Amino acid sequence: MALQKIHFISLFPDVIRDGLSHSLIGKAGDKITLNFIQLRDFAKNKHKTVDDTPSGGGAGMLLKPDVLFDAWSSVTSLEEKRLRPAAERPYTILLSPQGKLLAQSKAKTMASHHRELIIVTGHYEGVDERFIDLCVDEEMSIGDYVLTGGEFAALVVADVLIRLIPGVVGSEESVARDSLENGLLKAPQYTRPREFQGLTVPDVLLGGNHAAIEKWRSEQSQARTKRKRPDLWEALKKTKQ
Ligand code: ADE
């Protein structure tokens, strides 16, 4: 199963739409449907209020549960969430620094296990916990830092997921050769000219011996993962044990 549709629920859906339209992902229209939902359209009063102060006091504003719930219900329902397996219904992700960190392996699982995703971007100080309890399947973070809003996180998550859909990126081989695709960083890459500022392209890459090139790339890939990302190298060793 491959990902076919992503709904974004956001106060700034245009930021996500515009951001995606400037990349290769914007040309993936025949592979995936993107639906942008303006959270403010579900506000309950004439001032279009979407947030309120935290119960018990404290700084900042929280997104209101009823507004979030109605926006979410425009795509799916509690009944669907309760009754249908996660892979067969819209799966809801809330972007938040409290979520699990996104990694390439996780993105691959998501892109292949879900036909439809709902990506909810938080804003202000956060969201009312009851929306999370009722509607969210998974909280996801793109890194241990705090953004002003989830829109940039949504762009990152969508970009990572969409480029994994078969046919979106030029060749399947370029996806298969991505850094991190096999838990390793990519080998160094070169193009013409053969010599630049006194630095030359390694001879092996110009020799036309494909087996030798593969061997060189694999060795380089391992060596630079060990050097630049010892954390990844250790994780890889552990999974192999
Ligand atoms: N919203 C604010 N900070 C975030 C982060 N690090 N990841 C995902 N969503 C966020």
Side-chain angles (χ1 to χ4, degrees):
M1 188 198 319
L3 186 57
Q4 289 171 2
K5 191 164 190 179
I6 307 179
H7 309 266
F8 299 91
I9 298 177
S10 165
L11 282 174
F12 301 97
D14 290 347
V15 171
I16 308 171
R17 190 202 321 258
D18 290 352
L20 290 176
S21 72
H22 289 293
S23 73
L24 193 64
I25 304 305
K27 299 183 182 71
D30 55 334
K31 309 276 185 322
I32 184 142
T33 305
L34 303 177
N35 179 28
F36 299 93
I37 297 167
Q38 170 55 265
L39 183 61
R40 211 171 284 284
D41 290 347
F42 296 85
K44 308 287 162 234
N45 61 15
K46 68 173 193 296
H47 303 295
K48 296 278 173 198
T49 308
V50 293
D51 58 341
D52 206 341
T53 53
S55 304
M61 300 290 273
L62 302 180
L63 291 176
K64 289 163 68 61
D66 49 348
V67 179
L68 283 165
F69 184 80
D70 287 355
W72 180 81
S73 300
S74 72
V75 179
T76 183
S77 65
L78 286 181
E79 212 166 44
E80 190 165 35
K81 186 166 184 295
R82 283 190 193 122
L83 297 178
R84 288 178 66 196
E88 292 169 19
R89 59 171 170 81
Y91 187 79
T92 305
I93 295 169
L94 174 69
L95 293 172
S96 132
Q98 299 191 20
K100 236 173 112 186
L101 282 181
L102 176 66
Q104 190 70 21
S105 52
K106 171 76 187 164
K108 274 174 73 176
T109 312
M110 305 260 340
S112 59
H113 280 53
H114 300 284
R115 228 188 310 260
E116 211 170 317
L117 292 177
I118 304 173
I119 298 182
V120 184
T121 68
H123 220 82
Y124 309 119
E125 291 301 307
V127 309
D128 186 289
E129 193 70 19
R130 290 165 294 182
F131 173 69
I132 303 176
D133 293 343
L134 284 170
C135 309
V136 172
D137 291 297
E138 187 167 338
E139 286 184 79
M140 191 177 280
S141 166
I142 62 158
D144 287 332
Y145 38 77
V146 181
L147 302 162
T148 49
E151 285 73 27
F152 296 111
L155 269 173
V156 169
V157 173
D159 190 285
V160 172
L161 291 173
I162 295 169
R163 70 185 291 289
L164 287 171
I165 298 171
V168 169
V169 175
S171 74
E172 307 254 331
E173 192 196 344
S174 64
V175 170
R177 281 192 180 282
D178 281 342
S179 277
L180 306 179
E181 192 58 23
N182 50 7
L184 291 168
L185 302 182
K186 230 176 183 172
Q189 303 181 95
Y190 302 87
T191 181
R192 279 182 278 264
R194 188 178 189 292
E195 187 189 331
F196 176 68
Q197 298 273 336
L199 302 175
T200 53
V201 176
D203 286 339
V204 63
L205 298 179
L206 303 169
N209 179 340
H210 293 292
I213 291 172
E214 272 312 302
K215 181 167 174 287
W216 181 86
R217 284 187 172 147
S218 164
E219 288 164 358
Q220 290 286 325
S221 198
Q222 293 183 42
R224 59 166 34 189
T225 307
K226 246 189 254 186
R227 179 165 51 83
K228 290 188 175 187
R229 291 291 305 274
D231 56 321
L232 287 181
W233 183 251
E234 287 305 316
L236 193 68
K237 273 204 313 205
K238 251 188 220 143
T239 56
K240 284 200 170 146
Q241 271 164 14

